[in-house]
Amino acid sequence: MTEISMENIATMLVTSSKGILAADESTGTIKKRFDTINVESTEETRRDYRELLFTAEDVSDYISGVILYDETIRQTGSNGITLSQTLSSQGIIPGIKVDKGAKPLAFSDGELVTEGLDGLRERLQEYYELGARFAKWRAVISIGDGAPSQYCIDVNAQALARYAALCQEANIVPIVEPEVLMDGDHSIDECYAVTETTLKTVFDELYKQRVVLEQMLLKPNMVVSGKDCPDQAGVEEVAAKTIYCFEQTVPAAVPGIVFLSGGQSEAQATEHLNAMNALGRHPWELSFSFGRALQASALHAWQGKSENVGAAKTAFLNRCRLTSLARDGNYSPDMENN
Ligand code: 13P
């Protein structure tokens, strides 16, 4: 790939009508997804599944970048070229997950801290050579039983900023992902409060560690009710509170916000994204970096069978098209049935 500045890569990833496919499930997570369709998770089935997504016809009309897992960026597809080249040849930018997962945080019962900083500088250099032009690091913040502690938010924010600075040093655009989980029965206002504190802490650390805001993207959760909250906030409330939260915390120099779907259904995540874009112009592009909300239908249609590859591609493209419409505020839920 020719040399493109980090500012340009960041802007290209959030160009109008396009967003990011998160296909960077770790080996453990993809096994859980395959278990739901009774498919054995092997290097080959994982490759076949991801190749199916990356070669769906005209996928580049909707997808600007794909986040890959370490195994995937090294894999070769059935056409004999690497999956990373299959993406770049369509104008899709390859990205890479570089964190090593969330591990128990010492002296903080049940909270997690994301690991993976050791050796990261060297790994980033190698990933750049393998074609990656952006990266992802996910921190996990849970709500419930007195959590999160400021201690947990602080250490995760510090690690996110250290990762982001190392990425920029290596000419790789960092996607900074502090995910406040939906798990629990908390209200939308509790989610708002935790998301606001988390984002304020993260941007404070990014500033301290000299991260260039124009050369990064933020990947946050939407502000939603906990999954088990009896009083679920509606679409308009989610959109208004999420945007208000970012107005309080995310500098306008950040080119784009790319949401995770976090366990929302495909239709729910799409409707929320649409409502936020329909609210009008914002200082940042508002796009998507969905995993489950782009893949659930495709995975279900595939079932691990080669005769279903066509149907799985169709299901995936349909989801990409609807999500792309939502990214520009042009989606309506009745399109789900067409
Ligand atoms: P979901 O959209 O399934 O939450 O996945 C996005 C992601 O990359 C989480 O790190």
Side-chain angles (χ1 to χ4, degrees):
M1 211 193 244
T2 46
E3 199 60 55
I4 306 177
S5 73
M6 286 184 280
E7 279 88 346
N8 283 343
I9 295 278
T11 311
M12 284 158 71
L13 287 168
V14 291
T15 194
S16 173
S17 80
K18 294 191 194 184
I20 297 169
L21 165 67
D24 61 323
E25 299 84 359
S26 63
T27 308
T29 302
I30 196 80
K31 179 182 180 315
K32 278 192 230 153
R33 306 274 187 268
F34 280 12
D35 283 348
T36 66
I37 54 167
N38 290 318
V39 170
E40 193 189 349
S41 177
T42 65
E43 202 176 326
E44 200 181 339
T45 55
R46 294 191 288 270
R47 199 251 348 239
D48 289 349
Y49 172 63
R50 280 153 173 165
E51 183 174 15
L52 164 179
L53 301 178
F54 304 167
T55 55
E57 205 182 334
D58 299 330
V59 62
S60 61
D61 288 353
Y62 314 112
I63 299 297
S64 54
V66 175
I67 315 174
L68 303 168
Y69 185 58
D70 181 77
E71 173 185 270
T72 323
I73 202 169
R74 303 171 191 282
Q75 274 176 326
T76 299
S78 54
N79 56 5
I81 63 169
T82 64
L83 294 182
S84 164
Q85 282 168 319
T86 295
L87 293 172
S88 3
S89 66
Q90 300 173 80
I92 299 175
I93 305 169
I96 182 77
K97 183 227 292 291
V98 300
D99 68 69
K100 296 215 161 174
K103 307 285 162 59
L105 175 62
F107 300 126
S108 183
D109 200 17
E111 294 192 293
L112 301 170
V113 61
T114 302
E115 296 188 348
L117 289 168
D118 287 354
L120 182 56
R121 176 177 275 126
E122 293 73 24
R123 288 199 289 132
L124 286 167
Q125 266 169 13
E126 188 196 7
Y127 286 139
Y128 189 93
E129 278 156 27
L130 290 169
R133 292 295 176 269
F134 71 101
K136 177 190 115 172
W137 177 291
R138 171 175 176 257
V140 182
I141 309 290
S142 306
I143 302 181
D145 273 344
S149 64
Q150 188 62 44
Y151 161 45
C152 172
I153 296 174
D154 286 345
V155 293
N156 274 294
Q158 279 158 12
L160 272 168
R162 284 190 62 195
Y163 139 82
L166 282 164
C167 283
Q168 292 184 343
E169 189 190 76
N171 260 314
I172 290 180
V173 171
I175 295 191
V176 172
E177 179 178 4
E179 176 175 5
V180 177
L181 294 181
M182 282 172 70
D183 300 332
D185 61 0
H186 54 272
S187 67
I188 185 170
D189 290 332
E190 285 172 273
C191 177
Y192 177 94
V194 173
T195 306
E196 185 183 62
T197 304
T198 300
L199 291 177
K200 276 189 193 290
T201 310
V202 166
F203 278 100
D204 188 41
E205 275 301 327
L206 292 170
Y207 175 67
K208 285 184 189 149
Q209 298 194 40
R210 307 175 181 183
V211 172
V212 182
L213 297 178
E214 289 85 347
Q215 299 173 355
M216 62 162 276
L217 296 173
L218 178 70
K219 176 163 174 169
N221 52 287
M222 299 178 191
V223 174
V224 293
S225 314
K227 241 191 308 201
D228 302 323
C229 175
D231 182 22
Q232 289 289 313
V235 174
E236 299 313 319
E237 187 178 358
V238 167
K241 288 189 170 161
T242 304
I243 296 294
Y244 186 74
C245 186
F246 297 158
E247 285 170 352
Q248 302 305 311
T249 54
V250 185
V254 174
I257 294 174
V258 290
F259 290 102
L260 58 94
S261 58
Q264 299 181 51
S265 71
E266 291 172 320
Q268 222 175 16
T270 311
E271 205 176 347
H272 286 151
L273 177 64
N274 185 71
M276 286 185 264
N277 277 301
L279 283 175
R281 280 195 70 77
H282 306 292
W284 348 261
E285 296 295 331
L286 283 188
S287 188
F288 56 91
S289 175
F290 292 166
R292 284 161 285 181
L294 279 174
Q295 295 185 51
S297 295
L299 192 66
H300 191 73
W302 178 52
Q303 299 285 325
K305 299 194 170 93
S306 53
E307 63 268 29
N308 292 339
V309 163
K313 286 185 177 189
T314 305
F316 176 58
L317 282 174
N318 184 49
R319 213 55 251 163
C320 289
R321 186 179 55 80
L322 295 172
T323 313
S324 153
L325 287 167
R327 186 251 169 279
D328 293 337
N330 295 325
Y331 163 87
S332 93
D334 55 26
M335 295 173 178
E336 292 290 338
N337 307 318
N338 296 330

